[in-house]
Amino acid sequence: MTKKVIVLGEIRQGELRNVSFEAIAAAKKMADGGEVVGLLLGDNVTNFANEMICYGADRAVTVEHPNLQAYTPDAYSQAVIRVIEIEKPEGLIFGHTALGKDLSPRIAAKVKSGLISDAVDLENNSGEIIFTRPIYAGKAFEKRTIRGGLIFATIRPNNIAPLDKKESRTGEITSIDVDIKDLRTVIKEVVRKTTGGIDLSEAKIIVSGGRGVKSKEGFELLEELANLLGGAVGASRGACDAEYCDYSLQIGQTGKVVTPDLYIACGISGAIQHIAGMSNSKVIVAINKDPEANIFSIADYGIVGDLFEVVPLLIEEFKSVAV
Ligand code: FAD
């Protein structure tokens, strides 16, 4: 049974986030030949609508309003609920990002629907949508079948491959007017912490440090390796608690969940709460001087050694390869 599925395009620092294109690919599966509609909210977003179409959306809808310039749950939920009333979709897909995690349950509750959060895959079985999502801190996966109604889902970045971008694709772009009012929050300033401009949750390569890195200066070494590989720096809570780096880098149960192609864990013991945030990385390399460290139980490649000897060797080697 074909469906109409809306995908919220998430714009960050003047660009559509990659997870929005992954969400379009997920929506295509859910729609099963039905219509995928890209939705863009902001004060000047029409130029992004075409990009969503190039990545597979059949058409795009924009809601432009000065109160949508920065994300607030009140303004965004008013806009999306109005779009739902007009478009009457069968599904809505968001990225499992800070915005998606905040906005989707709020709207789902308002329209008295349920939400599948953090899906890593989905399939359409003759109209029934079967979602795969991690449980028990990533130790197992469950399948949830949704048989009807308005389906809300968030999808984990870096799990569903986006469709190829086709510049030649065209589709209708329409705008919807929404009277956005009664806002309880005002965004005065947005302060961003980024690692070399690469968003940790979407990074393909992460060099992550733990308490074994021992200092802020130690993290500079990891930064050098990450920059060389075009990746981002992450951290364990141990390293954040010790003030070697900012909490925005924390990966794990109470930090960010990441699924890069390559995760290099340096001086991290591999506590269950850390593993919860990175165990689905495609290839895990662990560097630890303790051969009994738990991180080796989930690593694809383990290097038993002092990270202050191993990481400089890796930097030297990658530099020579890059030349
Ligand atoms: P440690 O456990 O101290 O490990 C340091 C490692 O570095 C050791 O294995 C050691 O052998 C190695 N090492 C030392 N020196 C060197 C060297 N020179 N070269 C190589 N290796 C070296 N943790 C998270 O990471 N993320 C979370 O989201 C998170 N959430 C939590 C939520 C709750 C409710 C609780 C209770 C805990 C949470 N934790 C989380 C904390 C977690 O339990 C661990 O305490 C933390 O992950 C340990 O960090 P670590 O591995 O850096 O430090």
Side-chain angles (χ1 to χ4, degrees):
M1 201 180 80
T2 65
K3 297 180 190 298
K4 184 197 277 190
V5 183
I6 292 180
V7 172
L8 180 70
E10 207 178 306
I11 300 160
R12 194 146 107 165
Q13 292 172 291
E15 281 183 20
L16 268 167
R17 296 185 68 171
N18 202 43
V19 70
S20 304
F21 307 135
E22 295 168 355
I24 292 172
K28 283 274 185 200
K29 287 191 192 181
M30 195 197 278
D32 195 24
E35 192 177 39
V36 173
V37 182
L39 171 61
L40 290 148
L41 312 178
D43 64 339
N44 184 11
V45 291
T46 310
N47 45 334
F48 298 104
N50 205 35
E51 203 177 355
M52 292 197 80
I53 292 167
C54 291
Y55 272 98
D58 297 296
R59 62 186 176 88
V61 169
T62 62
V63 183
E64 293 185 314
H65 193 287
N67 286 341
L68 295 170
Q69 187 187 6
Y71 171 70
T72 63
D74 279 347
Y76 268 51
S77 44
Q78 285 179 34
V80 178
I81 287 169
R82 184 72 192 122
V83 171
I84 292 172
E85 285 166 0
I86 293 170
E87 289 285 341
K88 301 185 174 45
E90 279 87 21
L92 272 102
I93 301 192
F94 305 75
H96 194 69
T97 58
L99 187 154
K101 283 189 267 187
D102 188 53
L103 182 64
S104 56
R106 197 176 287 269
I107 301 172
K110 282 207 167 121
V111 301
K112 298 195 168 28
S113 184
L115 166 74
I116 295 285
S117 74
D118 202 13
V120 293
D121 200 8
L122 66 89
E123 55 196 284
N124 189 325
N125 182 16
S126 310
E128 291 182 350
I129 312 299
I130 306 165
F131 290 92
T132 306
R133 57 185 301 278
I135 51 170
Y136 304 131
K139 279 204 159 90
F141 290 91
E142 68 168 2
K143 285 190 186 281
R144 290 268 169 165
T145 302
I146 308 291
R147 299 212 160 82
L150 177 53
I151 303 172
F152 283 81
T154 64
I155 61 148
R156 186 181 280 201
N158 278 346
N159 279 271
I160 298 170
L163 306 172
D164 289 339
K165 185 176 184 182
K166 286 198 182 130
E167 303 282 356
S168 56
R169 275 184 62 92
T170 53
E172 190 190 14
I173 301 171
T174 49
S175 87
I176 292 180
D177 286 333
V178 181
D179 183 19
I180 292 169
K181 52 189 182 192
D182 303 330
L183 300 183
R184 290 169 294 182
T185 42
V186 176
I187 306 293
K188 297 215 162 171
E189 192 188 0
V190 178
V191 181
R192 291 191 190 283
K193 291 257 169 63
T194 56
T195 51
I198 298 173
D199 180 358
L200 201 49
S201 54
E202 290 187 3
K204 297 283 180 204
I205 297 178
I206 295 176
V207 180
S208 201
R211 224 186 312 252
V213 176
K214 293 192 173 70
S215 64
K216 282 185 182 164
E217 293 69 39
F219 264 83
E220 286 169 14
L221 187 65
L222 304 194
E223 235 170 79
E224 192 182 344
L225 179 58
N227 288 342
L228 200 58
L229 298 174
V233 174
S236 71
R237 179 154 140 191
C240 301
D241 285 346
E243 298 184 0
Y244 302 158
C245 60
D246 193 86
Y247 277 102
S248 60
L249 303 191
Q250 185 183 320
I251 290 168
Q253 188 181 314
T254 45
K256 294 197 168 81
V257 174
V258 296
T259 37
D261 292 342
L262 175 63
Y263 188 89
I264 306 178
C266 309
I268 295 177
S269 59
I272 180 73
Q273 296 90 353
H274 185 77
I275 287 177
M278 45 65 75
S279 61
N280 290 320
S281 304
K282 294 189 183 74
V283 175
I284 298 170
V285 177
I287 305 167
N288 198 303
K289 63 181 184 185
D290 174 7
E292 302 296 323
N294 190 47
I295 192 79
F296 288 126
S297 67
I298 56 149
D300 298 282
Y301 299 95
I303 303 173
V304 179
D306 185 333
L307 73 93
F308 295 103
E309 289 170 18
V310 177
V311 174
L313 285 175
L314 288 176
I315 290 173
E316 205 179 300
E317 190 62 25
F318 285 124
K319 271 187 183 162
S320 73
V321 174
V323 170

